[in-house]
Amino acid sequence: MGQQSMLPRRGFLTLGAAATTAALLPGRAFAASPTDVKLHGLSAFGDLKYKPDFTHFDYVNVDAPQGGTFNFLPRNWGSNQTPLTFNTLNSFVPKGDSPQRMEMCFDSLMVRAFDEPDAVYGLIADSVTISDDRNGFTFSLRPQARFHDGTPLTAEDAAFTFKLLKDKGHPDYSLPLTHLNDAIAIDAHTLKLAFSGKQTTRTILNVVAFPILSKAFYTANPFDSSQMNPPLGSSAYKVGRWSAGGWIEYERVADYWGNDLPVNRGQNNFQRIRVEFYQDRNVAFEAFKKGEILYKEEFVSRVWATGYDFPAFIAGKVVKREFPAETMPSMQATAVNQRREQFRDPRVRQAIGLCFDFEWTRRNFFYGSYERSQSCFEQSDFRAEGVPSPQELALLEPLRGQIPAEAFGEAVTQDVSNGSGRDRHLLGKAAKLLTDAGWKRSGNFVVNDKGGRLSAEFLVDDEVFEQVYSPWVENMKAVGIDASIRLVDAAQYQLRQNSFDYDLISVAARLPATPTRDDLETFFHSRTATLSGTRNLPGTSSPAIDALVDAAGAAKDRESLTIAMRALDRVLRARRDWIPSWFLANHRSAYWDMFGFPGRKPDFDFPVEALWWVDKDKAARIGKA
């Protein structure tokens, strides 16, 4: 249960990295990449898979037919996007609610390869040159690059974009640009990005995947959340028809300038992509059953187990299929807001976690389909196991006294209940933790020394979470916490999340396979604890955590990165800023049987809307031609 919220797709929406041209030296880290040489691609560690003369990515079908409409419910989003509504067409600013997949309208300097953990290849830029001090990156832009109105996309537009995003952009963009000193248009087709030296070596992999905006458009139009004028883009799609808050269509650009580039071949096959917005999952499912929605991922276990008995499914017109999840660190967890005094004691946060009976919830709500999450980096090598290795201890020992002692022992795991829904042992343990933290029982509630109740309210935007969290709330009440659930509409939910106005709030998210410091900062670093729009939902503010984030960001090879990430995971789990909940090993996909797709799913993303196509014969068989 729970859809994926993500950092901006590095290419441009999902969390990842970006690109350019001549292969890196074999087996050498990005920090050791040759300088003053035009490169066709960049990778954080080691070789690039694709050579300078590659013609397409291996995971696409270059012969895929083009045309048709793909009407779907996206599974993920980033920046200020939301799956429930929209009131702006500007996806790049902190405020407002923008529609999912606006990123499809904008090209970037480089794009990710979905079958490599950290590689990027040139799109607008056909090459990049790294300066001797590794703080400057000079991009050669393709002269054929064009905006949708036919005007050239130039280095001046790119320089304008990076300065604008640094100054006024959503934190997903502004944070990685913190140490950008200047963006300079040397000439119409040459761009230089100059950094201060305080950036990490992998920062550039995020930055090159940012959307390039039109200077002319955003000079004539405000760069804020009031913008409902479709922005001028440059990519394979542009905004077509739309109804604010209801639906939006993206139309394929017939004369898209980059259609035949190696990074684009076999992709963007649908003539029209339509995104629907529903605030009620049941209504969305009814639309899918009628064929008004053609593809969706199922996040409600009950529906996946019992809901697929409608006529179109029985007739074989609708398919249920599980696709393997990406090999990327994922988290689904509840943040306990430490900006509020009553949650600053980790014993209180631990007590709240003990009240969640996952085993009962799994059996009664999830039909046995979910596994218990333990880590913020689930489904990856970054999840800590057992006791710290000597290499991890080398990072942890200097922080002794600043981090919980538990971080030096077995990796913290969530207690396993007896599955009764009211495990007396675990609730007794929670009650003792509250007593130890200074909360005393007074009638039905625990109070502090001033008589104030310990209250805890879940903020949710979907009725399904009311059902799932209600038993959790009842257990919290049993140990004396004045617990409740507040269901709000999409706009209020987004506003309260951005302003950190909640007690408890849940999130599902993925990090890149090779996280940068910028990716980690938005979730865990002190500098984001008070920065609106970030994903530091618990308000984590710890110099020790900052040091571990910096260590991960500075890693020069994958082994060092893994060690630093595992050390960070140990401390996060011991602090209990987040209460891990659950995860699925696969994508539960349901779709009308009218599509073709490549035989091999890439390991590091699942952009169905970019890689699939309409199979006319299949569509005709089910009456969707």
Side-chain angles (χ1 to χ4, degrees):
M1 176 182 298
Q3 292 162 291
Q4 294 287 333
S5 165
M6 313 191 86
L7 301 184
R9 190 180 244 154
R10 312 303 191 208
F12 123 86
L13 181 110
T14 84
L15 308 163
T20 55
T21 88
L24 298 184
L25 299 181
R28 299 180 70 180
F30 171 61
S33 301
T35 59
D36 295 324
V37 175
K38 287 189 173 183
L39 305 173
H40 82 289
L42 297 173
S43 174
F45 312 121
D47 298 329
L48 291 169
K49 174 180 178 179
Y50 296 97
K51 304 305 180 184
D53 59 350
F54 83 101
T55 59
H56 59 83
F57 292 129
D58 290 346
Y59 50 81
V60 305
N61 175 10
V62 294
D63 298 319
Q66 296 183 345
T69 296
F70 188 61
N71 189 339
F72 80 130
L73 302 175
R75 68 186 177 88
N76 51 28
W77 57 93
S79 59
N80 68 350
Q81 296 179 1
T82 167
L84 301 178
T85 186
F86 67 95
N87 51 36
T88 178
L89 295 180
N90 189 343
S91 278
F92 317 117
V93 291
K95 296 182 179 179
D97 305 311
S98 71
Q100 296 162 289
R101 297 305 182 264
M102 280 297 295
E103 66 276 2
M104 295 188 304
C105 301
F106 299 89
D107 279 332
S108 54
L109 295 176
M110 346 223 49
V111 293
R112 289 178 56 209
F114 299 145
D115 56 351
E116 297 180 83
D118 50 37
V120 294
Y121 297 87
L123 178 50
I124 293 173
D126 62 14
S127 68
V128 60
T129 303
I130 306 172
S131 66
D132 286 338
D133 65 3
R134 304 189 182 279
N135 294 325
F137 300 83
T138 301
F139 299 89
S140 173
L141 308 191
R142 301 183 195 272
Q144 67 267 38
R146 291 287 187 275
F147 288 107
H148 293 150
D149 64 356
T151 58
L153 188 161
T154 68
E156 188 173 355
D157 293 296
F160 168 82
T161 295
F162 289 113
K163 292 175 182 177
L164 182 65
L165 292 176
K166 177 179 179 178
D167 185 37
K168 297 182 179 179
H170 188 279
D172 285 347
Y173 304 104
S174 62
L175 283 173
L177 294 171
T178 299
H179 301 298
L180 178 71
N181 278 353
D182 205 357
I184 307 160
I186 296 175
D187 58 42
H189 304 301
T190 309
L191 169 74
K192 181 176 182 179
L193 298 181
F195 290 86
S196 68
K198 296 180 180 179
Q199 80 286 354
T200 69
T201 57
R202 301 196 303 278
T203 292
I204 191 63
L205 298 178
N206 287 350
V207 168
V208 294
F210 287 176
I212 301 302
L213 310 178
S214 164
K215 180 178 179 180
F217 180 87
Y218 279 114
T219 299
N221 295 274
F223 185 72
D224 60 30
S225 60
S226 68
Q227 186 58 249
M228 288 297 281
N229 183 21
L232 179 61
S234 59
S235 196
Y237 291 92
K238 64 181 179 180
V239 175
R241 302 185 306 151
W242 50 273
S243 175
W247 51 270
I248 187 168
E249 292 180 348
Y250 301 101
E251 295 285 347
R252 197 174 194 282
V253 177
D255 57 351
Y256 168 45
W257 73 272
N259 191 53
D260 295 324
L261 293 177
V263 295
N264 284 330
R265 291 190 66 206
Q267 302 185 58
N268 308 314
N269 301 310
F270 297 110
Q271 177 59 35
R272 181 180 301 105
I273 294 177
R274 180 178 169 112
V275 178
E276 304 276 357
F277 296 81
Y278 295 94
Q279 296 194 28
D280 187 312
R281 293 181 192 240
N282 294 324
V283 175
F285 188 54
E286 290 301 316
F288 173 73
K289 291 194 291 186
K290 296 175 183 176
E292 296 169 8
I293 300 293
L294 301 174
Y295 176 93
K296 71 188 295 289
E297 284 201 33
E298 188 54 70
F299 297 103
V300 179
S301 298
R302 173 186 53 79
V303 175
W304 185 254
T306 67
Y308 284 79
D309 57 356
F310 51 93
F313 180 77
I314 295 171
K317 296 181 178 182
V318 169
V319 174
K320 287 171 62 181
R321 175 168 173 171
E322 295 194 19
F323 294 88
E326 291 68 62
T327 52
M328 297 162 67
S330 66
M331 62 182 291
Q332 183 152 339
T334 296
V336 187
N337 191 357
Q338 296 168 49
R339 301 170 188 87
R340 301 195 166 169
E341 186 176 355
Q342 69 264 35
F343 303 125
R344 290 176 187 163
D345 191 316
R347 291 171 294 189
V348 172
R349 304 195 292 271
Q350 183 180 359
I352 291 173
L354 285 166
C355 293
F356 174 50
D357 191 329
F358 170 75
E359 286 67 34
W360 185 91
T361 303
R362 184 176 190 265
R363 185 177 69 253
N364 288 278
F365 284 113
F366 297 160
Y367 291 80
S369 60
Y370 283 90
E371 301 299 327
R372 183 68 192 265
S373 225
Q374 302 290 351
S375 167
C376 290
F377 312 126
E378 202 65 62
Q379 298 177 281
S380 78
D381 290 338
F382 304 144
R383 170 177 158 159
E385 300 282 357
V387 298
S389 67
Q391 295 88 345
E392 291 172 60
L393 284 174
L395 294 174
L396 295 173
E397 283 294 352
L399 306 175
R400 193 177 284 275
Q402 303 176 54
I403 60 178
E406 290 171 291
F408 294 93
E410 293 277 344
V412 169
T413 57
Q414 303 300 301
D415 292 69
V416 178
S417 79
N418 61 16
S420 66
R422 186 67 66 93
D423 188 317
R424 292 181 179 274
H425 171 69
L426 296 188
L427 295 184
K429 185 176 177 180
K432 184 178 186 305
L433 284 166
L434 294 178
T435 299
D436 293 345
W439 296 91
K440 306 300 181 184
R441 192 81 184 209
S442 177
N444 292 327
F445 302 101
V446 293
V447 297
N448 58 22
D449 55 7
K450 297 179 181 178
R453 290 181 183 176
L454 174 55
S455 60
E457 179 184 83
F458 281 97
L459 184 68
V460 302
D461 61 355
D462 193 310
E463 289 181 355
V464 71
F465 289 107
E466 278 192 304
Q467 300 169 16
V468 172
Y469 292 156
S470 287
W472 191 349
V473 164
E474 291 306 310
N475 279 342
M476 290 166 67
K477 288 179 177 178
V479 299
I481 301 173
D482 186 7
S484 59
I485 301 173
R486 182 175 295 274
L487 176 66
V488 298
D489 63 31
Q492 187 178 357
Y493 184 87
Q494 191 82 354
L495 178 63
R496 290 187 61 174
Q497 176 176 301
N498 287 345
S499 60
F500 308 122
D501 182 17
Y502 50 79
D503 293 339
L504 306 171
I505 193 169
S506 297
V507 67
R510 284 192 183 278
L511 285 158
T514 307
T516 67
R517 184 176 67 189
D518 310 307
D519 299 322
L520 298 172
E521 279 187 349
T522 194
F523 283 96
F524 311 119
H525 201 279
S526 298
R527 70 188 294 233
T528 61
T530 58
L531 184 59
S532 174
T534 67
R535 291 165 182 80
N536 189 343
L537 301 180
T540 301
S541 182
S542 162
I545 292 289
D546 299 346
L548 293 172
V549 166
D550 290 343
K556 297 298 193 295
D557 54 56
R558 187 161 293 281
E559 181 182 6
S560 299
L561 174 64
T562 301
I563 291 166
M565 292 290 290
R566 288 176 179 172
L568 174 61
D569 186 39
R570 290 182 187 281
V571 179
L572 290 171
R573 288 158 71 172
R575 283 175 53 90
R576 294 178 167 85
D577 296 351
W578 299 85
I579 301 170
S581 49
W582 51 77
F583 70 92
L584 269 178
N586 298 307
H587 295 282
R588 293 188 301 206
S589 298
Y591 52 91
W592 284 72
D593 191 16
M594 56 181 289
F595 301 112
F597 46 83
R600 173 177 171 264
K601 173 190 170 296
D603 290 337
F604 301 105
D605 207 348
F606 189 43
V608 172
E609 64 276 21
L611 301 181
W612 288 24
W613 61 89
V614 171
D615 183 316
K616 291 184 179 179
D617 291 338
K618 286 184 176 181
R621 284 198 294 269
I622 66 170
K624 288 285 188 179

